[in-house]
Amino acid sequence: GLGEVADLLRLSKQTVRRWIRTGTLPAVKLGYNTFRIERDQIDRLIVQRRTSPVKRRKIKYTKRRVK
């Protein structure tokens, strides 16, 4: 299930669902909340996540006035 995929990818179930919805993780919907995800696709993402640099958000720092 999605929990197994989330564990393999070290993600939350919510992220797995979002990746399915956006096409990052190809899957076939079989029922109301049932998806089929090929192991090849999971393996591809595991390798891709290991080899690609982590995208970090830029943090904006604002000056605070001290009164």
Side-chain angles (χ1 to χ4, degrees), residues 11 19 22 24 45 48-59:
L11 301 169
W19 283 13
T22 61
T24 302
L45 279 174
Q48 183 180 352
R49 287 173 52 90
R50 283 186 190 153
T51 58
S52 65
V54 176
K55 292 181 181 177
R56 302 207 184 267
R57 292 183 184 184
K58 290 184 180 177
I59 301 173

Side-chain angles (χ1 to χ4, degrees), residues 25-64:
L25 178 59
V28 176
K29 189 166 186 172
L30 300 175
Y32 173 69
N33 231 2
T34 307
F35 294 91
R36 174 169 289 148
I37 303 166
E38 291 185 16
R39 181 63 196 226
D40 292 350
Q41 297 299 329
I42 297 168
D43 292 340
R44 178 185 59 83
L45 279 174
I46 290 171
V47 170
Q48 183 180 352
R49 287 173 52 90
R50 283 186 190 153
T51 58
S52 65
V54 176
K55 292 181 181 177
R56 302 207 184 267
R57 292 183 184 184
K58 290 184 180 177
I59 301 173
K60 280 189 175 180
Y61 292 98
T62 57
K63 293 182 181 178
R64 295 178 69 185

